[in-house]
């Protein structure tokens, strides 16, 4: 397994069929790769890279005990851990015991994570892209300007600064 980890790009470059590798063995091989290493595998014919990313998707939820849910009100996909810090509709907020605004999201009971992942795969066409989208949903940062928490998947925009930047005239 360690040999496979160190030489995966060379292994998949050989003319071999890798569909005979069992699911438990793929799980063990996948566990040796971090997500950056899995991303760096050169697998032109996609012999194993998608399988590794599928296992990485499974491990996102199994190893961390993370639960994703969709809010029935605002339709955002959130984790239980961060839901109180992410904005919902104004009617769904309250003040917590520390005097800070807390948002109340209501889980959508009809939403299924498995259907969501399959739909995402149909849209993105790659398990690698599905993995990175989910990773971005599960990891959060703080905006340096407004100090609000936001998921990494929204890194390219700040939902609290919707206006175009205004630059004062120099002089």
């Amino acid at each position: 397994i360690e040999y496979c980890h160190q030489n995966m790009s060379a292994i998949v470059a050989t003319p071999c069929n890798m569909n005979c590798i069992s699911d438990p063995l793929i799980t063990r091989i996948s566990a040796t790769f971090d997500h950056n290493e899995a991303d760096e595998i050169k697998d032109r014919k996609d012999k194993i890279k998608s399988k590794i990313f599928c296992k990485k998707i499974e491990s996102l939820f199994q190893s961390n005990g993370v639960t994703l849910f969709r809010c029935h009100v605002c339709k955002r996909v959130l984790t239980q851990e961060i839901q109180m810090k992410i904005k919902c509709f104004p009617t769904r907020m309250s003040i917590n015991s520390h005097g800070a605004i807390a948002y109340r999201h209501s889980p959508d009971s009809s939403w299924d994570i498995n259907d969501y992942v399959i739909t995402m795969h149909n849209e993105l066409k790659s398990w690698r892209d599905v993995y990175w989208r989910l990773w971005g949903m599960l990891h959060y940062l703080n905006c340096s300007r407004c100090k609000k928490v936001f998921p990494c998947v929204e890194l390219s925009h700040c939902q609290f600064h919707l206006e175009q930047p205004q630059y004062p005239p120099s002089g």
Side-chain angles (χ1 to χ4, degrees):
I1 290 175
E2 189 58 38
Y3 177 82
C4 290
H5 175 245
Q6 293 172 356
N7 300 288
M8 188 55 74
S9 292
I11 293 168
V12 296
T14 62
C16 64
N17 182 352
M18 301 191 86
N19 290 329
C20 61
I21 300 175
S22 68
D23 193 57
L25 187 54
I26 291 286
T27 302
R28 290 176 58 200
I29 291 170
S30 175
T32 65
F33 287 92
D34 66 30
H35 52 233
N36 293 322
E37 291 173 327
D39 218 10
E40 292 171 1
I41 296 171
K42 292 173 182 61
D43 187 4
R44 216 182 60 202
K45 294 184 179 178
D46 197 22
K47 294 180 181 179
I48 200 163
K49 194 169 185 173
S50 286
K51 293 176 184 177
I52 289 174
F53 273 105
C54 281
K55 294 299 177 182
K56 289 288 175 203
I57 291 168
E58 287 177 17
S59 71
L60 274 177
F61 297 103
Q62 291 173 349
S63 62
N64 299 334
V66 173
T67 305
L68 277 181
F69 71 94
R70 185 175 73 179
C71 178
H72 152 86
V73 179
C74 69
K75 307 295 185 211
R76 293 189 72 173
V77 178
L78 306 160
T79 63
Q80 295 289 342
E81 172 189 357
I82 204 73
Q83 69 173 324
M84 298 297 274
K85 296 179 181 179
I86 299 294
K87 190 175 183 177
C88 194
F89 287 124
T91 58
R92 307 285 303 162
M93 67 180 163
S94 61
I95 306 296
N96 68 17
S97 59
H98 302 292
I101 294 176
Y103 299 97
R104 292 176 297 149
H105 294 274
S106 300
D108 184 349
S109 59
S110 67
W111 187 77
D112 180 57
I113 182 69
N114 297 315
D115 292 339
Y116 181 70
V117 170
I118 290 167
T119 301
M120 196 183 308
H121 181 259
N122 291 337
E123 173 192 330
L124 299 174
K125 309 286 189 231
S126 154
W127 287 114
R128 174 195 170 274
D129 293 344
V130 171
Y131 172 82
W132 285 113
R133 173 90 48 96
L134 289 169
W135 187 92
M137 290 176 171
L138 296 173
H139 293 83
Y140 293 84
L141 297 171
N142 290 308
C143 178
S144 61
R145 299 206 66 180
C146 65
K147 307 299 184 220
K148 301 289 182 187
V149 175
F150 67 95
C152 292
V153 77
E154 296 176 3
L155 186 63
S156 64
H157 63 281
C158 178
Q159 63 181 348
F160 301 101
H161 302 111
L162 301 176
E163 299 152 8
Q164 290 294 328
Q166 296 178 6
Y167 301 101
S170 59

